[in-house]
Amino acid sequence: MAGHSKWANIQHRKGRQDAVRGKLFSKFSKEITVAAKMGDPDPDKNPRLRLAIKEAKSQSMPKDNIERAIKKAMGGEGEDYEEIRYEGYGPNGVAVIVEAMTDNRNRTASTVRSTFSKNGGNLGETGSVGFMFERKGEISYPVEVGDSDTVMMAAIEAGAEDVESGEDGHVIWCADSDLNEVATALEAELGESSSTKLVWKPVTTTEMDLEGMQKLMKLIDALEDDDDVQRVTTNFEASDEVMEQLGAE
């Protein structure tokens, strides 16, 4: 998993750019509005909304923006959004899952398709790469919360499935349907997590060299640049050397 945590760090550095940040906030707003629209506008009664707010806060989204997004749902906005998942292949045959939220399915499909083909990939049928991933709950904690044994014990008690501890912090995995329960139990034991979300976790990975990673980053950047795209997940694996060269660019 070395590649994945370093990838998060590279993305985090990129995320410091204001333009990227603004785009990120609008994606969070959309998710919060839709979650509030689909369930209850009270986060205590709506696990999906609670997770969306938590994720937005972990990226320093202002409280006003969060409240505005909830008000939009209460005012009847957000009902036209449809959630769609696209699957395809990127450079070197790496698997890519694109999660979108759109009010115009045709526009989004054609943009995603052309983004894939312009960046050395191709869009497949739904299910074409999904089998290479599992839907999981991912809860992250900083290194400071405790050593790996402390976190492991808390995770077992909370009903989690696995823990990965490293210099970047602790990542706790659980079944997607248990995320709310496990996260709440961990919070009582370890305090607030730095991130709690549902993710696609790769079951099989594709090894990438530097050139492949550069092409993959171009594809991911182009996909994430689309306002309809909420999240992009891939199953790349890369050596520490490759990730360091990539981060140094």
Side-chain angles (χ1 to χ4, degrees), residues 11 30 34 48 57 111 127 130 138 145 207 227 237 239 248:
Q11 285 188 311
K30 199 189 275 190
V34 169
R48 178 171 171 176
K57 281 182 176 168
T111 309
E138 180 196 80
V145 296
E207 183 70 34
D227 291 338
E237 189 65 61
S239 68

Side-chain angles (χ1 to χ4, degrees), residues 146-160:
D147 59 23
S148 53
D149 287 347
T150 307
V151 176
M152 177 66 83
M153 286 312 295
I156 292 168
E157 287 288 312

Side-chain angles (χ1 to χ4, degrees), residues 40-123:
D40 193 289
D42 177 358
D44 289 336
K45 298 176 188 161
N46 184 338
R48 178 171 171 176
L49 177 59
R50 191 159 60 248
L51 287 178
I53 292 171
K54 192 174 179 58
E55 199 52 28
K57 281 182 176 168
S58 77
Q59 296 292 334
S60 312
M61 181 160 156
K63 197 174 169 205
D64 289 355
N65 297 36
I66 293 169
E67 284 169 2
R68 216 169 22 246
I70 295 172
K71 284 200 180 91
K72 272 188 181 178
M74 292 161 79
E77 289 184 51
E79 68 263 33
D80 299 333
Y81 290 126
E82 188 182 356
E83 293 181 90
I84 311 171
R85 190 171 86 237
Y86 299 98
E87 299 180 21
Y89 290 95
N92 295 18
V94 68
V96 183
I97 290 181
V98 180
E99 292 170 90
M101 211 177 262
T102 179
D103 54 4
N104 185 330
R105 181 187 268 265
N106 293 342
R107 176 192 67 218
T108 310
S110 102
T111 309
V112 169
R113 177 171 276 106
S114 74
T115 303
F116 265 93
S117 56
K118 280 180 198 160
N119 291 280
N122 60 295
L123 192 60

Side-chain angles (χ1 to χ4, degrees), residues 47 51 134-139 158-159 161 173-184 197-199:
L51 287 178
E134 287 177 317
R135 193 67 165 154
K136 291 286 179 195
E138 180 196 80
I139 305 158
E161 294 177 346
W173 300 97
C174 65
D176 57 346
S177 52
D178 296 343
L179 180 58
N180 193 43
E181 217 172 285
V182 173
T184 306
K197 56 189 172 184
L198 282 169
V199 298

Side-chain angles (χ1 to χ4, degrees), residues 3 6 19 22 49 70 158 182-183 209 211 215 249:
K6 289 208 172 56
L49 177 59
I70 295 172
V182 173
D209 58 12
E211 192 188 344
K215 287 179 183 165
E249 288 180 0

